[in-house]
Amino acid sequence: MNRYKAPTPEVVDAALLKIPTVQLRQVFFEGLKNPLWVRPLLEAGAFSSPPEPRPTDDGYIYDPYWPEISYLARISSEVPADVVDVFLSLERSSNPWVTRAVFEIGSRIPADEAVRLIPLLRRWQAPGFDWRTDSHDLVAFAVTLLEGGHRKEGRWLANTLFEPRRADSADGPHKPVVGLDDYWYADALPKIVPALGADALKALIGWLRSYVAINGHASGAHDFSAMDRPSIAEPRSGYDRPEDALIDAARDQGMISASREPDETIELFLKPRVKLLRKIAIYVVRECMHREVDSGGDAHRFVAAARRLLSEPESDDEYLRVEYAHLARVATQIDYSVSSVFTPFLEQAYRADLAWMRERLVPEGTDPGQTEAEIQDKADRYRHSWLAAIGHDALPPELQQELAKLDATQGEIEKPLEPLGKVTTWTGPNAHTSQEEMAEMAPLELVACLAGWHDTDGRWGPNPSHEGQGRALAALLATYPMAFHGVPALGEKLRPTYLRAILQGWDAALKADLELDWRQVAELVEFVLGHDLESTLPAEGDDFDDDRNFRGAKDAAVDLLKQLVKPRETPAMNDAYAERFAGLLIRDADDESAWSEYDAYIPSDGGWDPLTMSLHWQWPSRIRALAVAATHPDDTPWKQEALAALDKELARVDRHGAGRAAIGEKVGRLYLHARAWLDIRLQRLMGTQSEISTDQQVVLTTAMATHGYHPDLYDLLDDAMQAALRVGDSLRAGWSGESEPLPRIGEWIIDAVIFGHRTTQDQLFQAFFSEMSPKTRAEALGRVAWFFSRATHVDDEIRDRFGRLWDERIAHAQAHPDESQELEGIFWLAKGQAFSSDWWLPRLRAALKLEPSIATERYMISKELAESSKDDPATALAVLKLLLHQRSTGSRVYYDMSRHAVPVVIANAITSGDAELTAEADSFMNELGARGRHTLEDEVRAVIDGAVTIDDVDE
């Protein structure tokens, strides 16, 4: 700040006389950088009258912007005391921009100055901090105070923002009001908690207690707050509620605290005597025990807290049952003596249930004896649900026997640990048994579970289905493929939906290099492929709830075979099984009905491209698998048989092209491992130099879309590419990927030149750049330039050939101005780390003269241009002028360039030492100033003075 001088009162007065209008004040204050003006301006009254909000004719309120704010915010960190004095003088202002600025500045300046603003905030607290105030600044202000040693004031502001309070208009229970919008509350709460330090858990418990008291869920003698959150582990889906945010924060902070002081932490939760807080406490102890066991720590230090929670009568609540049971299971694994508390606890709970039922469930005027049996039955069912949730292994012997009797007389409870009140939003098919539950089952038990469940009518909501269960089953087998190990005749025991899921799960496991039960896999694949298309089991549920036939399972079997016949080292598979799987693919998967269904399909408009279609039908999937099987070493027993099967399928008339796309995808593999077979069939598959059919176009374009450039493949496809170029825009794409077929061919042709494989005199190169449209050429050139923009190093020979190619194309555009569009992608050269500015900058200048549309609003090169001006200020200035020529001041390009590159480029031109260039830069600066850049001269001066460097220019 030594470079600044404080103005005299006379200078300040003279300046204020020159800016009587809002527009002039905006120019002045947005350009003012001297922080030493704050105090003189304050004393001169420049900050005394922020404009007040005023009503508009249409009934709204207009909040006038106050230009002085931008200056105060900008220099606040340099003279915080002066800026705070300004705002303290504005306590009566109602301008929302003033309120917003107070919090923005308070979050930036030192805490010792920020704390002086608290009296101002207290006066503003009643009407609120206004909607314009940024929630991030509100919270950051509180964090500044708390971390800066002003804990009392920081806690006050944190309470103002986060503590729930009763709405002024509400006398009874009502939705609590907080100082932030619900979404921002949930977003900001985790940020304030660390700053609260040792007070965090007490604050969170207090705020949560206030919330449930105000909404009436825990007030007076009634406390049903435990039902607010069915599961402490997971919030309600799709909610951004302050209560959920508080529960999550109290839970997480509670685990941190309990890991150090378990008993003291639990006392904090239990002291307010709120059921929801008790529910969180139970969860906290359970999780702490889990983590200690998993890490090999001392879980016994939590036993006392667990015993307390499991024995106290206050834990008797249906909405605490699941958390209670989880804790019981963990605690008894660590110290089985804890189970001794269950008998007295459940006895007391049973008596309490009978008491309230007799009080509330007996209609007035009815003999209590007539309803006693119903009450007893209801209480027994409640007790049964508690025993089942705690589980056999955690119970003491006498309760284990009681649970067994209740299971026998009343039936086992299907999901004893399902939280009450849990509502599942519809996200797709649901499982009737979770993946975790299935993982705990023995193989035969799992088969029985899947076979025994039936989809029945009459259920409400997003019901479980066979499809939903199948997805969970596939996920289980992807990580635990031996879940059915040892089960014989698996295919005969389960419906097609589950068989499909098993095959898909094994497929995923094989991709992760997990070993399978090869015998069981072979038997199930053989069963599925040999089964009639129709199933003997009727489908259950609505459409897509259950497979109507074996088509999905057969498709999955072929997909799995493709993985099984791949050459692999892990997991190890003996030759006998490898040959068996190849035989299943070649012979058993030869399914005429699969071809008929595929051939008869009538696609809708805008349907799948051939390659995508090949992934969803059994017939083209088998072609892909046969191509894999056929590319084993020549001495592999099934190789020739696989190639023969491939010939048979490729002889069909494939009007959808999916089989041809599958072959195109495997061209590289066939070239490496079945070269003789491919050479003989190459023209039949891809055409000749003079002719290429639609089917052959699919093979060619899929091969080029799915393979990177390679000289050998280029030679292989040369004739077909020449024929494809003559087809032109009607060329059929095998895969609708990132590039259309013609530009993709162009990319290969360009790569062949710059990698030195071909020259620009090559027949293919000449055909592409003479016969294709400028737009197609531009897409190919731009795509190759984009790839090079991602490289960190390019060999000199490749760089030079690439540069000569651009020079030739620029020269062509100079000779044919109507074709200059092909240069559009040249801007990508500026983005490449491997290219120096003296390589790309002159070429960009030459191209811009020919094709001004190069600088589109999507691609910014401002930082690169600014950096290049250090080495070549004249060319950089010329490029900048071309980029901004005839562009409106509101365009994205103008904004980006003027904001970032212009000051640096002009400054480097002015200081270049070239008098002519200096004059040109100065003239351009004045031109931009006349177009609205009033502060440009100051920005250029800042660069020259070193206050702004290239590092300050944004990407």
Side-chain angles (χ1 to χ4, degrees), residues 467-486:
E467 174 62 24
Q469 190 62 41
R471 296 186 187 186
L473 178 61
L476 169 67
L477 292 169
T479 55
Y480 181 43
M482 295 292 189
F484 292 102
H485 179 64

PDB file of all heavy atoms in Angstrom, residues 467-486:
ATOM      1  N   GLU A 467     -37.810 -59.319 -11.212  1.00  0.00           N
ATOM      2  CA  GLU A 467     -36.773 -58.542 -11.890  1.00  0.00           C
ATOM      3  C   GLU A 467     -35.904 -57.790 -10.880  1.00  0.00           C
ATOM      4  O   GLU A 467     -34.669 -57.772 -11.001  1.00  0.00           O
ATOM      5  CB  GLU A 467     -37.413 -57.559 -12.874  1.00  0.00           C
ATOM      6  CG  GLU A 467     -36.433 -56.594 -13.537  1.00  0.00           C
ATOM      7  CD  GLU A 467     -35.383 -57.284 -14.379  1.00  0.00           C
ATOM      8  OE1 GLU A 467     -35.611 -58.416 -14.856  1.00  0.00           O
ATOM      9  OE2 GLU A 467     -34.308 -56.682 -14.569  1.00  0.00           O
ATOM     10  N   GLY A 468     -36.550 -57.165  -9.906  1.00  0.00           N
ATOM     11  CA  GLY A 468     -35.791 -56.461  -8.878  1.00  0.00           C
ATOM     12  C   GLY A 468     -34.895 -57.392  -8.093  1.00  0.00           C
ATOM     13  O   GLY A 468     -33.740 -57.073  -7.787  1.00  0.00           O
ATOM     14  N   GLN A 469     -35.414 -58.586  -7.765  1.00  0.00           N
ATOM     15  CA  GLN A 469     -34.606 -59.560  -7.044  1.00  0.00           C
ATOM     16  C   GLN A 469     -33.464 -60.070  -7.916  1.00  0.00           C
ATOM     17  O   GLN A 469     -32.348 -60.296  -7.438  1.00  0.00           O
ATOM     18  CB  GLN A 469     -35.480 -60.731  -6.595  1.00  0.00           C
ATOM     19  CG  GLN A 469     -34.787 -61.684  -5.638  1.00  0.00           C
ATOM     20  CD  GLN A 469     -34.394 -60.990  -4.351  1.00  0.00           C
ATOM     21  OE1 GLN A 469     -35.161 -60.192  -3.829  1.00  0.00           O
ATOM     22  NE2 GLN A 469     -33.211 -61.266  -3.858  1.00  0.00           N
ATOM     23  N   GLY A 470     -33.738 -60.220  -9.215  1.00  0.00           N
ATOM     24  CA  GLY A 470     -32.698 -60.662 -10.128  1.00  0.00           C
ATOM     25  C   GLY A 470     -31.534 -59.696 -10.193  1.00  0.00           C
ATOM     26  O   GLY A 470     -30.369 -60.096 -10.258  1.00  0.00           O
ATOM     27  N   ARG A 471     -31.835 -58.404 -10.162  1.00  0.00           N
ATOM     28  CA  ARG A 471     -30.755 -57.410 -10.216  1.00  0.00           C
ATOM     29  C   ARG A 471     -29.891 -57.477  -8.946  1.00  0.00           C
ATOM     30  O   ARG A 471     -28.670 -57.349  -9.010  1.00  0.00           O
ATOM     31  CB  ARG A 471     -31.339 -56.016 -10.421  1.00  0.00           C
ATOM     32  CG  ARG A 471     -32.048 -55.865 -11.757  1.00  0.00           C
ATOM     33  CD  ARG A 471     -32.512 -54.452 -12.021  1.00  0.00           C
ATOM     34  NE  ARG A 471     -33.315 -54.398 -13.235  1.00  0.00           N
ATOM     35  CZ  ARG A 471     -33.760 -53.286 -13.790  1.00  0.00           C
ATOM     36  NH1 ARG A 471     -33.479 -52.113 -13.229  1.00  0.00           N
ATOM     37  NH2 ARG A 471     -34.488 -53.316 -14.891  1.00  0.00           N
ATOM     38  N   ALA A 472     -30.551 -57.655  -7.811  1.00  0.00           N
ATOM     39  CA  ALA A 472     -29.792 -57.800  -6.570  1.00  0.00           C
ATOM     40  C   ALA A 472     -28.946 -59.074  -6.598  1.00  0.00           C
ATOM     41  O   ALA A 472     -27.804 -59.102  -6.120  1.00  0.00           O
ATOM     42  CB  ALA A 472     -30.737 -57.801  -5.371  1.00  0.00           C
ATOM     43  N   LEU A 473     -29.499 -60.135  -7.172  1.00  0.00           N
ATOM     44  CA  LEU A 473     -28.776 -61.409  -7.266  1.00  0.00           C
ATOM     45  C   LEU A 473     -27.555 -61.276  -8.171  1.00  0.00           C
ATOM     46  O   LEU A 473     -26.466 -61.774  -7.848  1.00  0.00           O
ATOM     47  CB  LEU A 473     -29.722 -62.490  -7.798  1.00  0.00           C
ATOM     48  CG  LEU A 473     -29.134 -63.883  -8.020  1.00  0.00           C
ATOM     49  CD1 LEU A 473     -28.611 -64.458  -6.713  1.00  0.00           C
ATOM     50  CD2 LEU A 473     -30.186 -64.812  -8.640  1.00  0.00           C
ATOM     51  N   ALA A 474     -27.716 -60.597  -9.312  1.00  0.00           N
ATOM     52  CA  ALA A 474     -26.582 -60.398 -10.216  1.00  0.00           C
ATOM     53  C   ALA A 474     -25.475 -59.608  -9.526  1.00  0.00           C
ATOM     54  O   ALA A 474     -24.285 -59.904  -9.689  1.00  0.00           O
ATOM     55  CB  ALA A 474     -27.041 -59.684 -11.486  1.00  0.00           C
ATOM     56  N   ALA A 475     -25.868 -58.597  -8.748  1.00  0.00           N
ATOM     57  CA  ALA A 475     -24.874 -57.790  -8.027  1.00  0.00           C
ATOM     58  C   ALA A 475     -24.133 -58.642  -6.999  1.00  0.00           C
ATOM     59  O   ALA A 475     -22.916 -58.491  -6.802  1.00  0.00           O
ATOM     60  CB  ALA A 475     -25.552 -56.604  -7.351  1.00  0.00           C
ATOM     61  N   LEU A 476     -24.843 -59.538  -6.335  1.00  0.00           N
ATOM     62  CA  LEU A 476     -24.208 -60.425  -5.361  1.00  0.00           C
ATOM     63  C   LEU A 476     -23.180 -61.332  -6.045  1.00  0.00           C
ATOM     64  O   LEU A 476     -22.037 -61.461  -5.593  1.00  0.00           O
ATOM     65  CB  LEU A 476     -25.274 -61.274  -4.667  1.00  0.00           C
ATOM     66  CG  LEU A 476     -24.756 -62.429  -3.802  1.00  0.00           C
ATOM     67  CD1 LEU A 476     -24.018 -61.893  -2.583  1.00  0.00           C
ATOM     68  CD2 LEU A 476     -25.906 -63.340  -3.372  1.00  0.00           C
ATOM     69  N   LEU A 477     -23.573 -61.944  -7.155  1.00  0.00           N
ATOM     70  CA  LEU A 477     -22.686 -62.902  -7.823  1.00  0.00           C
ATOM     71  C   LEU A 477     -21.490 -62.217  -8.475  1.00  0.00           C
ATOM     72  O   LEU A 477     -20.456 -62.857  -8.696  1.00  0.00           O
ATOM     73  CB  LEU A 477     -23.478 -63.678  -8.869  1.00  0.00           C
ATOM     74  CG  LEU A 477     -24.531 -64.637  -8.295  1.00  0.00           C
ATOM     75  CD1 LEU A 477     -25.446 -65.144  -9.395  1.00  0.00           C
ATOM     76  CD2 LEU A 477     -23.867 -65.805  -7.591  1.00  0.00           C
ATOM     77  N   ALA A 478     -21.606 -60.945  -8.779  1.00  0.00           N
ATOM     78  CA  ALA A 478     -20.485 -60.224  -9.373  1.00  0.00           C
ATOM     79  C   ALA A 478     -19.298 -60.167  -8.423  1.00  0.00           C
ATOM     80  O   ALA A 478     -18.148 -60.073  -8.858  1.00  0.00           O
ATOM     81  CB  ALA A 478     -20.916 -58.810  -9.768  1.00  0.00           C
ATOM     82  N   THR A 479     -19.559 -60.200  -7.128  1.00  0.00           N
ATOM     83  CA  THR A 479     -18.476 -60.164  -6.143  1.00  0.00           C
ATOM     84  C   THR A 479     -18.340 -61.480  -5.376  1.00  0.00           C
ATOM     85  O   THR A 479     -17.313 -61.723  -4.752  1.00  0.00           O
ATOM     86  CB  THR A 479     -18.713 -59.034  -5.131  1.00  0.00           C
ATOM     87  OG1 THR A 479     -20.011 -59.187  -4.540  1.00  0.00           O
ATOM     88  CG2 THR A 479     -18.646 -57.683  -5.821  1.00  0.00           C
ATOM     89  N   TYR A 480     -19.381 -62.315  -5.402  1.00  0.00           N
ATOM     90  CA  TYR A 480     -19.349 -63.590  -4.694  1.00  0.00           C
ATOM     91  C   TYR A 480     -19.914 -64.665  -5.616  1.00  0.00           C
ATOM     92  O   TYR A 480     -21.029 -65.152  -5.438  1.00  0.00           O
ATOM     93  CB  TYR A 480     -20.172 -63.483  -3.411  1.00  0.00           C
ATOM     94  CG  TYR A 480     -20.205 -64.742  -2.575  1.00  0.00           C
ATOM     95  CD1 TYR A 480     -19.052 -65.493  -2.348  1.00  0.00           C
ATOM     96  CD2 TYR A 480     -21.408 -65.192  -2.016  1.00  0.00           C
ATOM     97  CE1 TYR A 480     -19.098 -66.653  -1.592  1.00  0.00           C
ATOM     98  CE2 TYR A 480     -21.463 -66.347  -1.251  1.00  0.00           C
ATOM     99  CZ  TYR A 480     -20.306 -67.077  -1.048  1.00  0.00           C
ATOM    100  OH  TYR A 480     -20.341 -68.227  -0.303  1.00  0.00           O
ATOM    101  N   PRO A 481     -19.153 -65.036  -6.672  1.00  0.00           N
ATOM    102  CA  PRO A 481     -19.712 -65.934  -7.694  1.00  0.00           C
ATOM    103  C   PRO A 481     -19.966 -67.356  -7.226  1.00  0.00           C
ATOM    104  O   PRO A 481     -20.618 -68.127  -7.925  1.00  0.00           O
ATOM    105  CB  PRO A 481     -18.640 -65.899  -8.800  1.00  0.00           C
ATOM    106  CG  PRO A 481     -17.381 -65.509  -8.112  1.00  0.00           C
ATOM    107  CD  PRO A 481     -17.784 -64.591  -7.001  1.00  0.00           C
ATOM    108  N   MET A 482     -19.462 -67.726  -6.047  1.00  0.00           N
ATOM    109  CA  MET A 482     -19.643 -69.093  -5.554  1.00  0.00           C
ATOM    110  C   MET A 482     -20.881 -69.233  -4.674  1.00  0.00           C
ATOM    111  O   MET A 482     -21.008 -70.214  -3.939  1.00  0.00           O
ATOM    112  CB  MET A 482     -18.404 -69.511  -4.754  1.00  0.00           C
ATOM    113  CG  MET A 482     -17.132 -69.596  -5.581  1.00  0.00           C
ATOM    114  SD  MET A 482     -17.200 -70.951  -6.774  1.00  0.00           S
ATOM    115  CE  MET A 482     -15.507 -70.953  -7.385  1.00  0.00           C
ATOM    116  N   ALA A 483     -21.804 -68.289  -4.754  1.00  0.00           N
ATOM    117  CA  ALA A 483     -22.973 -68.317  -3.868  1.00  0.00           C
ATOM    118  C   ALA A 483     -23.820 -69.572  -4.057  1.00  0.00           C
ATOM    119  O   ALA A 483     -24.527 -69.991  -3.137  1.00  0.00           O
ATOM    120  CB  ALA A 483     -23.823 -67.067  -4.095  1.00  0.00           C
ATOM    121  N   PHE A 484     -23.779 -70.205  -5.256  1.00  0.00           N
ATOM    122  CA  PHE A 484     -24.561 -71.421  -5.509  1.00  0.00           C
ATOM    123  C   PHE A 484     -23.663 -72.655  -5.593  1.00  0.00           C
ATOM    124  O   PHE A 484     -24.089 -73.693  -6.099  1.00  0.00           O
ATOM    125  CB  PHE A 484     -25.346 -71.283  -6.824  1.00  0.00           C
ATOM    126  CG  PHE A 484     -26.435 -70.256  -6.778  1.00  0.00           C
ATOM    127  CD1 PHE A 484     -26.263 -69.009  -7.353  1.00  0.00           C
ATOM    128  CD2 PHE A 484     -27.648 -70.540  -6.167  1.00  0.00           C
ATOM    129  CE1 PHE A 484     -27.264 -68.062  -7.323  1.00  0.00           C
ATOM    130  CE2 PHE A 484     -28.665 -69.594  -6.130  1.00  0.00           C
ATOM    131  CZ  PHE A 484     -28.478 -68.347  -6.699  1.00  0.00           C
ATOM    132  N   HIS A 485     -22.427 -72.541  -5.113  1.00  0.00           N
ATOM    133  CA  HIS A 485     -21.469 -73.631  -5.266  1.00  0.00           C
ATOM    134  C   HIS A 485     -22.028 -74.939  -4.700  1.00  0.00           C
ATOM    135  O   HIS A 485     -22.506 -75.000  -3.565  1.00  0.00           O
ATOM    136  CB  HIS A 485     -20.168 -73.275  -4.537  1.00  0.00           C
ATOM    137  CG  HIS A 485     -19.120 -74.339  -4.620  1.00  0.00           C
ATOM    138  ND1 HIS A 485     -18.547 -74.728  -5.812  1.00  0.00           N
ATOM    139  CD2 HIS A 485     -18.545 -75.107  -3.645  1.00  0.00           C
ATOM    140  CE1 HIS A 485     -17.667 -75.677  -5.582  1.00  0.00           C
ATOM    141  NE2 HIS A 485     -17.640 -75.937  -4.285  1.00  0.00           N
ATOM    142  N   GLY A 486     -21.958 -75.974  -5.518  1.00  0.00           N
ATOM    143  CA  GLY A 486     -22.371 -77.304  -5.069  1.00  0.00           C
ATOM    144  C   GLY A 486     -23.835 -77.629  -5.295  1.00  0.00           C
ATOM    145  O   GLY A 486     -24.249 -78.773  -5.084  1.00  0.00           O
TER     146      GLY A 486
END
